[in-house]
């Protein structure tokens, strides 16, 4: 299976090359030439472990990795770093199934992909005779950064540089990043928002002069952002796994449709669900949930993607995004895999900040439903699900749960529904606790952590215990314009 660029019909690479490069030459994203069909029956998947399921899904996409290579990557990724053998457990609360994707080392769903990406990348480098050290450049709205740092720390032959919006992440997210250990790690706060950080990183990726300079110094860039196919593919796994587990437990019959609700930012997670659907997994509606940065809701409602709007800081910072990079893969797909057409829309996005798809393209979006939740609705949802079911969810997951309620009210659809639960409530303790009871706001961060433990009966994750006392190791802060010089300084 080869991968094509969404912006250049002539560029074709193998899976390992796509993983290695991250981004295609002219800023396009790599997409598989066609989506493979699942070739293992669900009855068989139902008895498989997470790791076995991962192999069955990933082998269909990463066809130039040998069985042994892929299985090793999977074993190294989904091991004791996860605090449950199930890796991604399903929890039923009220009338929805929460697929908990936060049991990895940084307690957010980014771990699902970022615990395997370093291994896929190092394997790809070996396969392609790469001599340079790989420098991972990443912009983060909070969760990617820490998950990438944890994945790459002290991995030989790699360095990792993470940029985060200094005032745009939660205190716990920030503390997690600036306490990161490892000689090859570098964390930088920028005076700007996530989109500016992401744009700065993308600029460095497409700067040929910089690439040359780096090569002379023995480095080459790669991306750990969700645009890397090495992140997208591992995310397909848990939808297949969840479906098979629901069949096994008798919640659904094999062949029944399920709906999926995904709290969405960069559109990576929901795109993985879309790919799973295209592999033949019986998914009905893909429910795309946004917070007050509702650019995707407006897109699904009108066919126009328009980032010209005020950027809102919300209690679900990992979704505070105005440019959902992975949407480009969907646009390319509904444009009939037409790189030229996609390129025109992306140029329009770059130059005018907006684009409008054709009616013909819109008609192919019928399996998507978009909506959003306000800050008040998000907090009310956390409070309500806790009071009603004793289950505590984080603000990102709450955005999804709130949107699911709107969907049910609007459509009356009774299909069994999986909600992607993307972060542990412990990662956003203050927002969660004040949603439950405003008076908690006067308490200190770690007092709230202890309070949450007694309220939820869920053990405090190791990731939180670890940062209680960890020293700050990174305190670089820069302006958006200085990102490139900061990179050079770190590598020299
Ligand atoms: C990254 C993230 C999201 C958004 O996922 P995308 O793949 O970027 O759409 C949602 N919730 C949490 C907790 C995240 O870390």
């Amino acid at each position: 299976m080869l991968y094509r660029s969404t912006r250049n019909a002539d560029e074709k690479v193998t899976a390992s090359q796509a993983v290695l490069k991250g981004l295609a030459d002219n800023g396009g994203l790599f997409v598989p030439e066609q989506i493979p069909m699942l070739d293992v029956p669900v009855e068989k998947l139902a008895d498989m472990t997470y790791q076995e399921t991962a192999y069955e899904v990933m082998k269909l996409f990463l066809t130039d990795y040998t069985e042994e290579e892929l299985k090793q990557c999977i074993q190294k990724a989904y091991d004791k770093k996860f605090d449950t053998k199930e890796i991604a457990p399903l929890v039923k609360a009220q009338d929805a199934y929460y697929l908990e994707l936060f049991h990895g080392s940084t307690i957010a769903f980014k771990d699902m992909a970022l615990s395997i990406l370093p291994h896929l990348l190092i394997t790809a480098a070996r396969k392609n005779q790469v001599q340079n050290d790989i420098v991972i450049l990443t912009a983060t709205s909070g969760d990617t950064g820490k998950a990438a740092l944890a994945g790459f720390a002290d991995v030989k032959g790699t360095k990792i540089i993470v940029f985060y919006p200094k005032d745009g992440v939660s205190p716990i997210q920030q503390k997690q990043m600036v306490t990161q250990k490892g000689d090859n790690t570098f964390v930088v706060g920028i005076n700007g928002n996530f989109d500016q950080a992401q744009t700065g990183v993308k600029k460095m990726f497409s700067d040929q002069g910089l690439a040359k300079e780096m090569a002379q110094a023995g480095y080459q860039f790669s991306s750990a952002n969700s645009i890397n196919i090495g992140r997208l593919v591992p995310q397909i796994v848990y939808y297949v796994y969840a479906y098979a587990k629901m069949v096994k437990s008798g919640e659904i019959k094999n062949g029944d449709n399920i709906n999926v609700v995904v709290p969405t930012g960069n559109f990576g997670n929901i795109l993985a669900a879309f790919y799973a659907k295209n592999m033949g997994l019986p998914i009905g509606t893909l429910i795309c949930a946004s917070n007050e940065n509702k650019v995707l809701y407006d897109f699904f409602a009108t066919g126009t993607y328009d980032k010209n709007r005020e950027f809102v800081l919300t209690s679900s910072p990992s979704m505070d995004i105005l440019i959902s990079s992975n949407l480009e893969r969907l646009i390319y797909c509904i444009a009939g895999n037409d790189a030229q057409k996609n390129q025109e829309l992306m140029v329009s996005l770059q130059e005018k900040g907006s684009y409008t798809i054709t009616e013909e393209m819109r008609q192919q979006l019928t399996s998507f439903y978009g909506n959003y939740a306000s800050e008040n609705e998000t907090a009310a949802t956390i409070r309500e699900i806790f009071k009603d079911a004793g289950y505590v969810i984080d603000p990102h997951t709450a955005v999804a749960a709130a949107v699911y309620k709107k969907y049910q009210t609007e459509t009356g659809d009774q299909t069994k529904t999986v909600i992607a639960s993307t972060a542990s409530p412990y990662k956003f303790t203050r927002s969660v606790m004040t949603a439950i009871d405003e008076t908690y706001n006067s308490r200190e961060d770690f007092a709230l952590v202890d309070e949450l433990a007694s309220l939820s009966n869920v053990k405090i994750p190791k990731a939180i215990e670890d940062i209680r006392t960890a020293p700050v190791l990174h305190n670089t802060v820069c302006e958006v314009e200085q990102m490139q010089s900061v990179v050079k300084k770190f590598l020299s």
Side-chain angles (χ1 to χ4, degrees), residues 35 74 131 141 187 210 288 295 337 345 353 372 427 465-466:
I35 305 292
I74 290 167
Q131 307 294 335
S141 53
V187 180
L210 182 63
C288 177
V295 63
N337 296 341
L345 297 175
Y372 73 102
K427 200 155 187 174
E465 291 293 4
D466 283 353

Side-chain angles (χ1 to χ4, degrees), residues 5-8 11 21-30 202-203 205-208 227 325 328-329 342-343 346 350:
S5 162
T6 52
R7 298 193 195 178
N8 173 5
E11 189 174 356
K21 289 184 74 167
L23 208 60
D25 280 340
N26 56 353
L29 309 187
F30 289 115
K202 276 190 172 171
K203 250 192 212 140
F205 277 124
S206 52
D207 184 333
Q208 302 298 328
I227 47 179
S325 305
E328 178 170 346
R329 287 188 165 107
N342 174 66
Q343 162 89 336
M346 294 307 135
Q350 221 154 33

Side-chain angles (χ1 to χ4, degrees), residues 108-110 141 143-144 226 235 262-270 318-319 321 394 396 422-423 428:
F109 101 97
K110 303 291 192 294
S141 53
D143 290 334
T144 292
S226 64
Q235 292 179 179
V262 186
T264 297
N266 230 344
F267 210 77
N269 200 3
I270 194 164
S318 302
M319 296 157 66
I321 286 174
D394 98 290
H396 302 76
T422 51
F428 301 94

Side-chain angles (χ1 to χ4, degrees), residues 121 134-138 148 152 158-162 220 222-224:
L121 198 61
I134 311 259
V135 179
I136 301 296
L137 281 187
T138 287
F152 282 96
T158 71
K159 290 188 191 301
I160 172 160
I161 307 174
V162 169
Q220 70 188 61
S222 189
S223 154

Side-chain angles (χ1 to χ4, degrees), residues 2 30 40 91 130 138 196 218 295 307 329 340 353 376 394 472:
L2 294 179
F30 289 115
V40 189
V91 175
V130 169
T138 287
Q196 290 170 307
V295 63
K307 74 162 182 105
R329 287 188 165 107
Q340 179 67 35
N376 280 339
D394 98 290
V472 171

